[in-house]
Amino acid sequence: MSRWIITLIVFSIIFLFIEIYAFQAIKTLTKSRIIKWVWLLVSLAIYANFLYVIFSTPRSAGQTVNFQLAAGLMLTFLIPKLVLLVIMFGEDVFRVMGKLFSFLSPGETKDFSGRREFIAKIALGIATIPFASFLYGIWQGRYNYKVLKYQLFFEDLPKAFDGFTITQISDIHSGSFTNKEKIKYGVDLINEQKSDVMLFTGDIVNNKADEMDDWIDMFKELDAPYGKYSILGNHDYGDYVEWKKPEDKVANFQAVKDIHPKIGFDLLLDEHRYIEKDGDKLALIGVENWGKGFNQAGDLQKASSQISQDDFKILMTHDPSHWEYQVKQDDFHYHLTLSGHTHGLQMGIEIPGFFRWSPSQYVYKQWAGLYNEFGRFINVNRGFGYHAFPGRVGIWPEITVIELKQGTRDT
């Protein structure tokens, strides 16, 4: 039996188990056949649509908008059912223990039917929270752009750059876009920050260069007086598509790189640039993608080979695992690193200043926001676009504005 068939059987059993327990809540609360049939037919339609999209989409197409919508619907209905599963399964365990207690104590019997109905109501009530959140995330959350501002102090910042501002954007993923009006709003919001320099930290497409064709005119309107600079992300290499010929992948990669000058960005491929102001300068370094466990194309030493250790340095590297494993303790001392990649998994809970959580934190130590170790900073941008899941739940699309200040925070 092939591995693919075994995998299909395993997942079918898992999903069947989830559906059975979720359906228990409906059966407990209503005797209406119409409601039960609607529940079953909607579930079957979502699974059927997901399977149809998977099997009808050639791998050479990459990740399509139809796949994202199918996956989004699956998650929107599946996550609430997982909530039902946990609660109803817990109730079943409680009932079994109760019956066992009654068997061991014949004089005492308890009726749990009323309790089960109450638990089913609670379970459905709780399940509506992720259901509504995912619906909102698909409908509006993916366009709920947030401007996050930081002020960072450095004792060795050149004097002319005191108050210098950086706008960082990341993970455009143009192949996922469907709404020009909303994307135009996001682009205008970036320009409204009026920062001195604009830095883009990778993943301009999902897989193919032509995904950006309809968005070039819009993104070339981005403006910054000291220039716009960019790097590549893991999706820009076309590694997630089954290409018909190796030459097609090579041509696509070149076409992706060609997008950057078309929208006015200077693409850094293991290179540096000096930004000069009033006789002072800072070094901007951009590396190709370097990720822990995959695609380690970036060469930090090559990118920094023509700059001085005494220079004030800003590093652009797409994947924050690069900072964790290579950059943060490097003797060359990279003052500020800018990354993206994680998207904060596009779902989680953030209460600014109090609490934040996302499944992304179990994969990446630095998964969203600003971090400081060894006197060096990294900002992990949550991304401008979205990928795989066509929405955002609690982890909103981000435009970062960083102001550089000379001295210490106490001065």
Side-chain angles (χ1 to χ4, degrees):
M1 187 177 295
S2 70
R3 181 182 299 179
W4 185 88
I5 293 176
I6 293 173
T7 301
L8 182 61
I9 292 173
V10 170
F11 275 97
S12 297
I13 293 172
I14 292 172
F15 286 132
L16 182 62
F17 186 67
I18 294 170
E19 290 295 335
I20 288 173
Y21 265 94
F23 191 61
Q24 295 305 310
I26 299 298
K27 285 178 62 179
T28 301
L29 291 178
T30 182
K31 294 182 179 180
S32 172
R33 289 188 175 183
I34 295 177
I35 294 176
K36 293 175 183 177
W37 275 108
V38 168
W39 176 281
L40 291 172
L41 290 174
V42 168
S43 298
L44 286 172
I46 289 171
Y47 285 122
N49 179 60
F50 183 73
L51 291 172
Y52 171 77
V53 169
I54 287 179
F55 290 114
S56 65
T57 304
R59 291 193 63 184
S60 59
Q63 189 183 110
T64 65
V65 172
N66 285 338
F67 171 82
Q68 289 189 359
L69 289 174
L73 282 174
M74 269 274 286
L75 283 174
T76 300
F77 282 83
L78 190 61
I79 298 299
K81 289 176 181 179
L82 286 173
V83 173
L84 293 176
L85 165 66
V86 170
I87 296 175
M88 299 306 293
F89 183 75
E91 166 62 11
D92 277 350
V93 171
F94 182 86
R95 281 202 305 158
V96 169
M97 291 178 64
K99 289 183 178 180
L100 180 60
F101 178 79
S102 298
F103 176 77
L104 297 175
S105 304
E108 296 185 31
T109 58
K110 292 185 179 180
D111 181 9
F112 292 100
S113 58
R115 174 188 172 87
R116 186 164 181 79
E117 182 176 344
F118 174 75
I119 293 296
K121 290 179 180 178
I122 295 295
L124 282 170
I126 295 174
T128 59
I129 297 173
F131 181 72
S133 298
F134 273 71
L135 284 180
Y136 175 80
I138 294 173
W139 178 48
Q140 287 292 336
R142 55 181 165 170
Y143 308 119
N144 188 21
Y145 302 105
K146 299 296 182 184
V147 179
L148 301 184
K149 297 186 177 184
Y150 303 103
Q151 194 176 61
L152 302 182
F153 289 79
F154 302 91
E155 292 185 6
D156 55 348
L157 179 73
K159 184 177 180 180
F161 288 92
D162 185 26
F164 192 80
T165 53
I166 302 165
T167 286
Q168 180 198 2
I169 54 175
S170 193
D171 298 89
I172 288 174
H173 285 287
S174 56
S176 300
F177 292 161
T178 59
N179 190 318
K180 284 202 170 185
E181 182 180 344
K182 297 290 188 180
I183 304 305
K184 180 65 164 61
Y185 166 76
V187 169
D188 290 343
L189 188 60
I190 295 170
N191 276 335
E192 285 175 17
Q193 307 316 307
K194 299 187 181 300
S195 290
D196 294 305
V197 70
M198 190 172 299
L199 306 179
F200 169 63
T201 47
D203 276 0
I204 201 165
V205 296
N206 290 342
N207 295 296
K208 295 185 175 182
D210 60 10
E211 296 167 8
M212 192 66 183
D213 287 353
D214 293 336
W215 310 96
I216 287 176
D217 288 342
M218 188 178 297
F219 278 89
K220 73 180 181 183
E221 295 178 7
L222 292 172
D223 185 54
Y226 284 83
K228 303 181 295 182
Y229 302 88
S230 58
I231 58 172
L232 298 173
N234 57 301
H235 281 268
D236 297 324
Y237 292 80
D239 290 340
Y240 308 112
V241 174
E242 191 174 272
W243 299 95
K244 294 180 179 179
K245 297 180 295 184
E247 309 91 84
D248 293 341
K249 182 179 180 181
V250 173
N252 179 75
F253 185 45
Q254 183 59 52
V256 169
K257 290 187 285 187
D258 291 342
I259 292 170
H260 294 255
K262 289 179 182 179
I263 60 174
F265 278 77
D266 184 0
L267 177 63
L268 304 186
L269 300 168
D270 293 337
E271 301 172 275
H272 82 282
R273 301 286 186 269
Y274 279 113
I275 299 176
E276 299 185 5
K277 182 182 180 185
D278 300 335
D280 286 333
K281 65 181 182 179
L282 59 79
L284 177 65
I285 304 104
V287 297
E288 291 199 49
N289 187 73
W290 192 102
K292 179 63 177 176
F294 68 98
N295 197 333
Q296 298 181 357
D299 189 333
L300 185 59
Q301 281 66 44
K302 177 184 175 184
S304 305
S305 61
Q306 299 181 45
I307 64 175
S308 168
Q309 185 164 2
D310 294 332
D311 288 330
F312 186 90
K313 296 175 282 295
I314 298 174
L315 171 67
M316 294 191 293
T317 181
H318 178 68
D319 190 320
S321 66
H322 193 196
W323 190 77
E324 174 65 19
Y325 290 101
Q326 286 197 347
V327 175
K328 70 179 183 181
Q329 297 188 65
D330 193 296
D331 292 337
F332 212 56
H333 191 93
Y334 296 90
H335 298 75
L336 172 62
T337 298
L338 302 177
S339 297
H341 180 62
T342 72
H343 301 206
L345 207 66
Q346 296 172 210
M347 57 187 71
I349 302 170
E350 289 198 87
I351 305 174
F354 293 96
F355 176 80
R356 65 178 189 163
W357 173 88
S358 166
S360 183
Q361 69 191 55
Y362 304 118
V363 181
Y364 294 93
K365 186 176 179 181
Q366 297 82 27
W367 60 275
L370 192 67
Y371 301 83
N372 178 14
E373 290 187 47
F374 308 106
R376 304 158 195 197
F377 291 92
I378 181 173
N379 183 67
V380 184
N381 185 286
R382 294 161 179 81
F384 181 85
Y386 49 91
H387 180 255
F389 173 64
R392 285 179 176 263
V393 181
I395 306 292
W396 310 121
E398 175 181 342
I399 300 162
T400 310
V401 178
I402 297 174
E403 181 183 11
L404 305 179
K405 297 294 293 181
Q406 188 183 57
T408 63
R409 184 168 290 276
D410 296 327
T411 60

